Amino acid sequence: MASDMNDYFNKKKSEGGGFNNSNSGGGNGPKGPQMPNMNLNFGGSKAALLYFIIAVVVVLVLAKPFTIIQEGERGILSTNGKYQDQALLPGLHFIVPVIQKVYVVDTKVRIINYASHLEVTSRSSGINAKKAITVLDKRGLPVSIELTVQYRLNAQFAAQTISNWGFSWEEKIINPVVRDVVRNVIGKYDAESLPMIRNKVATEIEDGIRASIDSLKNKPVLLQSIQLRDIILPQKVKEQIERVQIAKQEVQKAQQEVARAKQDALKKAAQAQGVADQARIEAQGKADAITINADAQAKANLLISKSLTTKLLQLEQMKVQSKFNDALRENKDAKIFLTPGGSTPNIWVDMKNAQQRTTAQ
């Protein structure tokens, strides 16, 4: 069998056909069957693989089968339009493109400013500006209230909140409750009394808002603080309050002046009383001194009178007479007038002096 095959190929070769390509030489005889061209292009296969990889990357980028949740945010996963019960936590999460979609919600602290003069803010900053809340007081007068409400979305029930209230949950939860509570609180009081009970009004507004928000199912919102910034009254009410305040200040001023006058009068009375007491004490002291001296003198005189005797008096008279005798020896012109009865002399006149001499005559 093998020899027969060899003979066949040798015969074809001698005929010039063989298995050569039609472009090769070898005679003009009839052409036999030819072998197929097996030259493979491996360079083209590498390019096709590279194109396939690029196409896959582009599809992944456009389809985005993943999402990244930042800190302070939560992701609400929707599968065929149905929200998942649990929100996605911060981090990388893979999803099925087209079928699944992630909605990112902010769970950081947000602020609503109710103010008369609105400031331009962006929603991305977490600060929402609204006009001051205008309500009626007890008598129907308009009053504007400026508030600042700080709150945040409850991250634990973020998915349920979005499912129940939608992405405009702030306008459906915070704003209506704040306006309703402010209207109820301010409606209980007269506009004139609001500035005087400011702290009480602020407490009632905060307590009312907290009670209303916390009573909602799953507590969708966590309130941080509620601040009453200003109470804006009508101009006529302001003027009336100013007049009342001025009148009160005048009354207080008059009362202060009366109190000051009373204090001055009491001070002067106290001073006068002090002077009188001092004079009385001094007079009493002098009287007491005189009395004491008189008593002492009386006692002395009594003692002296009891001690005097006839011989003692004669002795004293002799002493005085001796002194006058000595004086007469020095001044012979002197005159001595003795008291009647021959008692001790008690008048001495120097006669050398002409005036005294004339008077004595």
Side-chain angles (χ1 to χ4, degrees), residues 208-281:
I209 294 175
R210 288 188 181 277
S212 298
I213 296 296
D214 293 343
S215 64
L216 298 175
K217 183 180 179 181
N218 292 332
K219 291 186 178 180
V221 177
L222 301 177
L223 292 173
Q224 303 297 310
S225 68
I226 301 168
Q227 302 170 358
L228 174 61
R229 296 202 318 275
D230 196 8
I231 300 175
I232 303 174
L233 304 176
Q235 186 62 32
K236 292 183 178 179
V237 175
K238 288 183 179 179
E239 294 175 355
Q240 182 177 354
I241 292 176
E242 290 177 358
R243 289 194 296 268
V244 172
Q245 291 295 331
I246 293 173
K248 287 183 178 180
Q249 291 175 358
E250 293 295 334
V251 171
Q252 291 177 354
K253 183 178 180 181
Q255 291 176 348
Q256 292 175 355
E257 292 178 353
V258 171
R260 191 181 299 112
K262 287 182 178 180
Q263 290 178 354
D264 293 341
L266 292 174
K267 183 178 179 180
K268 291 180 180 179
Q271 291 176 350
Q273 184 65 34
V275 173
D277 292 342
Q278 182 180 1
R280 185 177 64 255
I281 293 171

Side-chain angles (χ1 to χ4, degrees), residues 14 57 63 83 90 96 109 113 116 121 124 163 171 183-184 186 205 221 223 257 260 262 292 325 340:
S14 62
V57 172
Y83 293 132
V96 179
V109 174
N113 281 328
S116 300
T121 58
S124 60
S163 178
E171 295 297 329
R183 180 171 58 253
N184 293 335
I186 300 301
I205 290 176
V221 177
L223 292 173
E257 292 178 353
R260 191 181 299 112
K262 287 182 178 180
I292 293 172
N325 290 336

